[in-house]
Amino acid sequence: MKRFFALMLTLSLLLSATAGLAEAYPLTVTDQAGRQVTIESKPEKLVSGYYISTSVLIALGLDDEMAGIEAKANKRAIYKLSAPELMDLPSVGSAKEFDLEGCAALEPDLVILPLKLKNAAETLESLGIDVLLVNPEDQELLGGMIDLIATATGATEEAKKLKDFTAAQEKTLSETLADAEKPTVYLAGNSSMLSTAGNNMYQSDMIRLAGGVNAAAEIADAYWVGISYEQLLAWDPEYIVLASDATYTVEDVLADKNLSACKAVVSGNVYQLPSKAEAWDSPVPSGILGAVWLANVLHPDLFSQETCEALIDEYYETFYGFTYSEN
Protein backbone atom coordinates (compact mmCIF):
# COMPACT_ATOMS: atom_id res chain seq x y z
CA MET A 1 0.00 0.00 0.00
CA LYS A 2 2.83 2.37 0.87
CA ARG A 3 4.42 1.66 -2.52
CA PHE A 4 1.08 2.43 -4.20
CA PHE A 5 0.74 5.81 -2.48
CA ALA A 6 4.39 6.61 -3.21
CA LEU A 7 3.79 5.82 -6.88
CA MET A 8 0.66 7.95 -6.96
CA LEU A 9 2.54 10.85 -5.35
CA THR A 10 5.32 10.58 -7.92
CA LEU A 11 2.81 10.56 -10.78
CA SER A 12 1.04 13.57 -9.27
CA LEU A 13 4.28 15.52 -9.06
CA LEU A 14 5.19 14.63 -12.63
CA LEU A 15 1.76 15.70 -13.88
CA SER A 16 2.04 18.97 -11.97
CA ALA A 17 5.47 19.67 -13.41
CA THR A 18 4.26 18.85 -16.92
CA ALA A 19 1.23 21.07 -16.49
CA GLY A 20 3.43 23.91 -15.26
CA LEU A 21 5.68 23.53 -18.27
CA ALA A 22 2.75 23.55 -20.66
CA GLU A 23 1.35 26.69 -19.04
CA ALA A 24 4.66 28.50 -19.59
CA TYR A 25 3.98 28.71 -23.33
CA PRO A 26 3.00 30.67 -25.25
CA LEU A 27 5.06 33.44 -23.69
CA THR A 28 6.06 36.91 -24.81
CA VAL A 29 9.52 38.32 -24.20
CA THR A 30 11.09 41.67 -25.06
CA ASP A 31 14.45 41.26 -26.79
CA GLN A 32 17.37 43.68 -26.62
CA ALA A 33 16.14 45.61 -29.63
CA GLY A 34 12.93 46.38 -27.72
CA ARG A 35 10.91 43.99 -29.89
CA GLN A 36 8.16 41.84 -28.37
CA VAL A 37 8.50 38.23 -29.46
CA THR A 38 5.80 35.66 -28.73
CA ILE A 39 7.02 32.07 -28.54
CA GLU A 40 4.20 29.56 -28.92
CA SER A 41 5.95 26.45 -27.59
CA LYS A 42 9.26 25.42 -26.09
CA PRO A 43 11.94 25.79 -28.79
CA GLU A 44 13.60 22.49 -29.62
CA LYS A 45 15.71 23.53 -32.60
CA LEU A 46 17.98 26.53 -32.08
CA VAL A 47 20.29 28.58 -34.27
CA SER A 48 22.85 31.06 -32.94
CA GLY A 49 24.39 33.61 -35.27
CA TYR A 50 26.62 35.18 -32.62
CA TYR A 51 29.51 33.68 -30.65
CA ILE A 52 28.39 35.23 -27.36
CA SER A 53 24.89 33.74 -27.57
CA THR A 54 26.42 30.41 -28.57
CA SER A 55 28.59 30.48 -25.47
CA VAL A 56 25.49 31.21 -23.38
CA LEU A 57 23.61 28.28 -24.95
CA ILE A 58 26.46 25.93 -24.02
CA ALA A 59 26.54 27.22 -20.45
CA LEU A 60 22.77 26.71 -20.18
CA GLY A 61 23.08 23.12 -21.39
CA LEU A 62 21.33 23.81 -24.71
CA ASP A 63 24.12 22.98 -27.17
CA ASP A 64 22.48 19.65 -28.09
CA GLU A 65 19.47 21.57 -29.37
CA MET A 66 21.49 23.71 -31.79
CA ALA A 67 21.03 23.17 -35.53
CA GLY A 68 23.15 26.04 -36.88
CA ILE A 69 25.97 28.27 -35.73
CA GLU A 70 27.85 31.45 -36.60
CA ALA A 71 30.76 31.49 -39.06
CA LYS A 72 34.30 30.42 -38.04
CA ALA A 73 33.06 28.28 -35.15
CA ASN A 74 36.00 25.93 -35.72
CA LYS A 75 38.38 28.69 -34.59
CA ARG A 76 36.81 29.08 -31.14
CA ALA A 77 38.70 27.11 -28.52
CA ILE A 78 35.77 27.07 -26.11
CA TYR A 79 33.72 25.00 -28.58
CA LYS A 80 36.54 22.50 -29.07
CA LEU A 81 36.88 22.08 -25.32
CA SER A 82 33.23 21.96 -24.32
CA ALA A 83 31.06 21.02 -27.31
CA PRO A 84 33.17 19.92 -30.30
CA GLU A 85 30.07 18.68 -32.15
CA LEU A 86 29.08 22.32 -32.70
CA MET A 87 31.93 22.78 -35.15
CA ASP A 88 30.23 20.37 -37.56
CA LEU A 89 26.96 22.33 -37.62
CA PRO A 90 25.95 24.33 -40.72
CA SER A 91 27.23 27.91 -40.66
CA VAL A 92 24.72 30.74 -40.96
CA GLY A 93 27.45 33.31 -41.59
CA SER A 94 28.34 36.43 -39.67
CA ALA A 95 26.89 39.86 -38.94
CA LYS A 96 28.66 41.09 -42.07
CA GLU A 97 27.59 38.21 -44.32
CA PHE A 98 24.57 36.46 -42.83
CA ASP A 99 23.21 33.46 -44.75
CA LEU A 100 19.50 34.18 -44.57
CA GLU A 101 18.42 31.38 -46.89
CA GLY A 102 20.70 28.87 -45.20
CA CYS A 103 19.34 29.78 -41.79
CA ALA A 104 15.72 29.49 -42.91
CA ALA A 105 16.43 26.13 -44.56
CA LEU A 106 17.36 24.69 -41.16
CA GLU A 107 13.74 25.28 -40.06
CA PRO A 108 14.68 26.41 -36.55
CA ASP A 109 12.18 27.12 -33.79
CA LEU A 110 14.25 30.02 -32.48
CA VAL A 111 17.13 32.05 -33.91
CA ILE A 112 19.38 34.30 -31.81
CA LEU A 113 21.14 37.10 -33.67
CA PRO A 114 23.20 40.20 -32.84
CA LEU A 115 21.46 43.58 -32.95
CA LYS A 116 23.18 44.41 -36.24
CA LEU A 117 21.06 41.78 -37.99
CA LYS A 118 17.70 43.42 -37.31
CA ASN A 119 16.71 43.33 -40.99
CA ALA A 120 17.47 39.61 -41.18
CA ALA A 121 15.37 39.07 -38.06
CA GLU A 122 12.38 40.75 -39.67
CA THR A 123 12.72 38.60 -42.79
CA LEU A 124 12.96 35.39 -40.78
CA GLU A 125 9.92 36.35 -38.74
CA SER A 126 7.95 36.93 -41.93
CA LEU A 127 8.68 33.25 -42.64
CA GLY A 128 7.24 32.24 -39.26
CA ILE A 129 10.58 31.81 -37.46
CA ASP A 130 10.97 33.37 -34.01
CA VAL A 131 14.07 35.57 -33.59
CA LEU A 132 15.67 37.22 -30.58
CA LEU A 133 18.04 40.14 -31.13
CA VAL A 134 20.72 40.49 -28.44
CA ASN A 135 23.22 43.22 -27.59
CA PRO A 136 25.52 42.18 -24.70
CA GLU A 137 27.76 45.24 -24.79
CA ASP A 138 28.33 45.46 -21.03
CA GLN A 139 27.88 43.35 -17.91
CA GLU A 140 24.29 44.48 -17.31
CA LEU A 141 23.27 43.81 -20.91
CA LEU A 142 25.03 40.44 -20.79
CA GLY A 143 22.98 39.49 -17.74
CA GLY A 144 19.85 40.63 -19.55
CA MET A 145 20.75 38.50 -22.55
CA ILE A 146 21.25 35.42 -20.37
CA ASP A 147 17.83 35.97 -18.76
CA LEU A 148 16.21 36.55 -22.16
CA ILE A 149 17.57 33.34 -23.70
CA ALA A 150 16.82 31.35 -20.54
CA THR A 151 13.22 32.55 -20.39
CA ALA A 152 12.63 31.82 -24.06
CA THR A 153 14.09 28.30 -23.83
CA GLY A 154 12.91 27.29 -20.37
CA ALA A 155 16.43 27.21 -18.90
CA THR A 156 15.85 29.64 -16.02
CA GLU A 157 17.32 27.39 -13.33
CA GLU A 158 20.58 26.99 -15.27
CA ALA A 159 20.69 30.75 -15.87
CA LYS A 160 20.32 31.45 -12.17
CA LYS A 161 23.28 29.19 -11.38
CA LEU A 162 25.36 30.95 -14.03
CA LYS A 163 24.53 34.44 -12.79
CA ASP A 164 24.89 33.41 -9.14
CA PHE A 165 28.46 32.30 -9.84
CA THR A 166 29.32 35.71 -11.26
CA ALA A 167 27.61 37.52 -8.39
CA ALA A 168 29.48 35.40 -5.84
CA GLN A 169 32.86 36.21 -7.41
CA GLU A 170 32.02 39.91 -7.61
CA LYS A 171 31.22 39.85 -3.90
CA THR A 172 34.40 37.95 -3.05
CA LEU A 173 36.57 40.35 -5.04
CA SER A 174 34.87 43.39 -3.53
CA GLU A 175 35.32 42.16 0.04
CA THR A 176 38.85 40.81 -0.45
CA LEU A 177 40.18 43.94 -2.17
CA ALA A 178 38.16 46.57 -0.30
CA ASP A 179 41.16 48.05 1.54
CA ALA A 180 43.81 47.32 -1.08
CA GLU A 181 45.72 50.06 -2.87
CA LYS A 182 44.41 50.45 -6.40
CA PRO A 183 47.21 50.44 -9.01
CA THR A 184 46.65 52.06 -12.40
CA VAL A 185 46.13 49.64 -15.27
CA TYR A 186 46.35 50.34 -18.99
CA LEU A 187 44.46 47.80 -21.09
CA ALA A 188 45.86 47.62 -24.62
CA GLY A 189 43.63 46.52 -27.50
CA ASN A 190 43.84 43.59 -29.90
CA SER A 191 45.20 45.33 -32.97
CA SER A 192 47.40 48.02 -31.46
CA MET A 193 49.26 48.78 -28.27
CA LEU A 194 47.98 52.34 -28.63
CA SER A 195 44.32 51.38 -28.55
CA THR A 196 42.49 51.26 -25.25
CA ALA A 197 39.13 51.02 -23.49
CA GLY A 198 37.70 54.02 -21.65
CA ASN A 199 35.55 54.24 -18.56
CA ASN A 200 32.26 53.33 -20.26
CA MET A 201 33.44 50.01 -21.60
CA TYR A 202 33.08 46.49 -20.24
CA GLN A 203 36.85 46.18 -19.80
CA SER A 204 36.93 49.09 -17.36
CA ASP A 205 34.56 47.20 -15.04
CA MET A 206 36.93 44.23 -15.19
CA ILE A 207 39.81 46.41 -14.00
CA ARG A 208 37.72 47.91 -11.21
CA LEU A 209 36.54 44.50 -9.96
CA ALA A 210 40.15 43.31 -9.93
CA GLY A 211 41.13 46.13 -7.57
CA GLY A 212 42.67 48.47 -10.09
CA VAL A 213 42.02 51.86 -11.69
CA ASN A 214 41.67 52.22 -15.43
CA ALA A 215 44.46 54.53 -16.57
CA ALA A 216 42.24 55.59 -19.48
CA ALA A 217 39.20 56.35 -17.29
CA GLU A 218 39.03 59.92 -18.60
CA ILE A 219 38.03 58.58 -22.02
CA ALA A 220 34.24 58.64 -22.27
CA ASP A 221 33.86 56.88 -25.64
CA ALA A 222 32.01 53.57 -25.65
CA TYR A 223 34.43 51.95 -28.06
CA TRP A 224 38.17 51.35 -28.45
CA VAL A 225 40.09 54.60 -28.84
CA GLY A 226 43.49 55.25 -30.37
CA ILE A 227 45.97 57.27 -28.32
CA SER A 228 49.57 58.47 -28.64
CA TYR A 229 52.75 57.40 -26.86
CA GLU A 230 52.77 60.84 -25.23
CA GLN A 231 49.33 60.21 -23.74
CA LEU A 232 50.30 56.78 -22.45
CA LEU A 233 53.47 58.15 -20.84
CA ALA A 234 51.46 60.96 -19.27
CA TRP A 235 49.19 58.37 -17.65
CA ASP A 236 52.29 56.35 -16.71
CA PRO A 237 50.37 53.20 -15.65
CA GLU A 238 51.75 50.80 -13.07
CA TYR A 239 50.53 47.83 -15.11
CA ILE A 240 50.01 47.23 -18.82
CA VAL A 241 47.68 44.38 -19.75
CA LEU A 242 47.32 43.19 -23.33
CA ALA A 243 43.96 42.02 -24.64
CA SER A 244 43.48 38.26 -25.00
CA ASP A 245 43.67 38.33 -28.79
CA ALA A 246 46.44 40.92 -29.15
CA THR A 247 48.43 40.59 -32.37
CA TYR A 248 51.64 41.65 -30.57
CA THR A 249 53.36 40.24 -27.49
CA VAL A 250 54.44 41.17 -23.98
CA GLU A 251 58.02 41.02 -25.26
CA ASP A 252 57.18 43.57 -27.96
CA VAL A 253 55.92 46.01 -25.34
CA LEU A 254 58.88 45.49 -23.01
CA ALA A 255 61.26 46.09 -25.94
CA ASP A 256 59.46 49.22 -27.18
CA LYS A 257 61.95 52.08 -26.72
CA ASN A 258 59.12 54.58 -26.67
CA LEU A 259 57.95 53.03 -23.39
CA SER A 260 61.30 52.56 -21.68
CA ALA A 261 60.43 55.15 -19.00
CA CYS A 262 56.91 53.85 -18.32
CA LYS A 263 56.44 52.49 -14.78
CA ALA A 264 54.87 49.24 -16.00
CA VAL A 265 57.78 48.55 -18.35
CA VAL A 266 60.45 49.55 -15.85
CA SER A 267 58.97 47.20 -13.23
CA GLY A 268 58.21 44.43 -15.72
CA ASN A 269 54.50 44.58 -14.96
CA VAL A 270 53.33 43.80 -18.48
CA TYR A 271 50.94 40.86 -18.93
CA GLN A 272 48.53 39.40 -21.47
CA LEU A 273 45.08 38.10 -20.61
CA PRO A 274 44.84 34.35 -21.25
CA SER A 275 43.17 33.16 -24.43
CA LYS A 276 43.31 29.38 -23.98
CA ALA A 277 39.52 29.01 -23.85
CA GLU A 278 38.01 32.39 -24.72
CA ALA A 279 38.59 36.13 -24.39
CA TRP A 280 37.68 37.11 -20.81
CA ASP A 281 38.07 40.79 -21.71
CA SER A 282 34.88 40.63 -23.76
CA PRO A 283 31.25 40.36 -22.61
CA VAL A 284 31.04 36.56 -22.59
CA PRO A 285 29.45 34.61 -19.70
CA SER A 286 32.93 33.79 -18.37
CA GLY A 287 33.95 37.45 -18.34
CA ILE A 288 34.13 37.49 -14.53
CA LEU A 289 37.18 35.23 -14.85
CA GLY A 290 39.07 38.14 -16.41
CA ALA A 291 38.63 40.05 -13.14
CA VAL A 292 39.56 36.93 -11.14
CA TRP A 293 42.77 36.49 -13.16
CA LEU A 294 43.67 40.19 -13.01
CA ALA A 295 43.06 40.34 -9.25
CA ASN A 296 45.77 37.73 -8.81
CA VAL A 297 48.13 39.75 -11.05
CA LEU A 298 47.51 43.03 -9.19
CA HIS A 299 47.13 41.65 -5.64
CA PRO A 300 48.81 38.24 -5.37
CA ASP A 301 49.20 38.69 -1.61
CA LEU A 302 45.41 39.05 -1.19
CA PHE A 303 44.13 36.90 -4.04
CA SER A 304 46.42 33.92 -4.56
CA GLN A 305 47.16 32.05 -7.75
CA GLU A 306 45.78 28.90 -6.12
CA THR A 307 42.46 30.63 -5.43
CA CYS A 308 42.37 32.04 -8.95
CA GLU A 309 43.03 28.69 -10.63
CA ALA A 310 40.49 26.88 -8.45
CA LEU A 311 37.73 29.35 -9.37
CA ILE A 312 38.53 29.10 -13.08
CA ASP A 313 38.41 25.31 -12.94
CA GLU A 314 35.17 25.39 -10.95
CA TYR A 315 33.53 27.63 -13.54
CA TYR A 316 34.43 25.55 -16.58
CA GLU A 317 33.74 22.22 -14.87
CA THR A 318 30.30 23.44 -13.76
CA PHE A 319 29.08 25.14 -16.93
CA TYR A 320 31.20 23.72 -19.78
CA GLY A 321 32.17 20.23 -18.67
CA PHE A 322 35.97 20.42 -18.85
CA THR A 323 38.84 21.29 -16.52
CA TYR A 324 40.63 24.42 -17.66
CA SER A 325 43.93 23.66 -15.91
CA GLU A 326 44.21 20.31 -17.71
CA ASN A 327 44.07 21.82 -21.21
Side-chain angles (χ1 to χ4, degrees):
M1 185 64 70
K2 289 181 179 179
R3 291 180 62 186
F4 172 77
F5 282 117
L7 178 60
M8 292 301 292
L9 177 60
T10 300
L11 288 172
S12 177
L13 290 172
L14 286 172
L15 287 170
S16 297
T18 303
L21 183 61
E23 290 172 2
Y25 296 91
L27 59 82
T28 299
V29 297
T30 302
D31 71 9
Q32 292 185 306
R35 302 158 58 251
Q36 287 196 325
V37 180
T38 298
I39 300 172
E40 295 295 334
S41 58
K42 188 178 187 302
E44 296 181 354
K45 196 173 185 182
L46 309 173
V47 167
S48 172
Y50 192 22
Y51 77 95
I52 297 178
S53 54
T54 300
S55 191
V56 170
L57 290 172
I58 297 171
L60 296 181
L62 297 169
D63 45 295
D64 287 343
E65 298 175 26
M66 290 182 60
I69 198 168
E70 79 278 359
K72 300 181 180 179
N74 62 339
K75 294 186 177 181
R76 297 206 175 272
I78 187 64
Y79 302 166
K80 295 178 183 179
L81 293 167
S82 62
E85 67 278 1
L86 295 184
M87 295 184 292
D88 295 327
L89 292 180
S91 167
V92 295
S94 64
K96 292 182 179 179
E97 296 182 15
F98 184 68
D99 184 358
L100 190 59
E101 292 183 3
C103 181
L106 296 173
E107 300 183 344
D109 299 316
L110 180 65
V111 178
I112 305 167
L113 298 177
L115 189 61
K116 294 178 181 179
L117 289 173
K118 187 174 182 179
N119 290 339
E122 292 173 352
T123 302
L124 288 170
E125 289 189 326
S126 71
L127 299 173
I129 299 171
D130 292 331
V131 182
L132 297 179
L133 290 171
V134 296
N135 185 41
E137 289 299 318
D138 57 34
Q139 189 64 39
E140 182 178 354
L141 287 170
L142 173 63
M145 185 188 81
I146 292 171
D147 287 338
L148 173 65
I149 293 174
T151 300
T153 59
T156 52
E157 289 187 15
E158 292 80 1
K160 184 178 185 304
K161 293 176 185 176
L162 184 61
K163 293 181 69 178
D164 283 351
F165 181 93
T166 295
Q169 306 326 311
E170 289 179 350
K171 181 179 179 181
T172 296
L173 290 170
S174 177
E175 293 175 349
T176 302
L177 307 174
D179 299 323
E181 293 187 8
K182 305 295 192 288
T184 53
V185 180
Y186 175 81
L187 182 64
N190 286 329
S191 59
S192 171
M193 168 66 198
L194 296 176
S195 174
T196 194
N199 193 54
N200 293 329
M201 290 187 66
Y202 175 88
Q203 292 80 2
S204 194
D205 285 339
M206 180 187 72
I207 294 171
R208 176 184 54 78
L209 281 170
V213 175
N214 187 356
E218 66 188 58
I219 294 177
D221 296 57
Y223 199 69
W224 293 94
V225 174
I227 63 166
S228 64
Y229 278 112
E230 290 75 17
Q231 177 63 80
L232 181 51
L233 290 171
W235 288 333
D236 200 17
E238 296 166 78
Y239 288 80
I240 292 176
V241 177
L242 280 58
S244 297
D245 297 326
T247 55
Y248 50 98
T249 66
V250 168
E251 290 71 24
D252 292 336
V253 176
L254 291 172
D256 191 331
K257 294 180 179 179
N258 294 295
L259 297 173
S260 60
C262 180
K263 285 179 185 175
V265 172
V266 171
S267 61
N269 286 331
V270 180
Y271 300 86
Q272 182 172 9
L273 276 149
S275 58
K276 183 165 65 173
E278 50 191 337
W280 296 333
D281 51 325
S282 60
V284 289
S286 63
I288 186 62
L289 300 181
V292 166
W293 174 85
L294 186 56
N296 171 243
V297 170
L298 302 181
H299 305 285
D301 54 329
L302 297 174
F303 201 85
S304 70
Q305 183 173 350
E306 182 181 10
T307 299
C308 171
E309 292 176 349
L311 286 173
I312 293 171
D313 275 348
E314 179 186 352
Y315 175 85
Y316 283 111
E317 287 169 357
T318 302
F319 301 108
Y320 289 85
F322 70 92
T323 301
Y324 183 89
S325 61
E326 294 178 357
N327 289 276

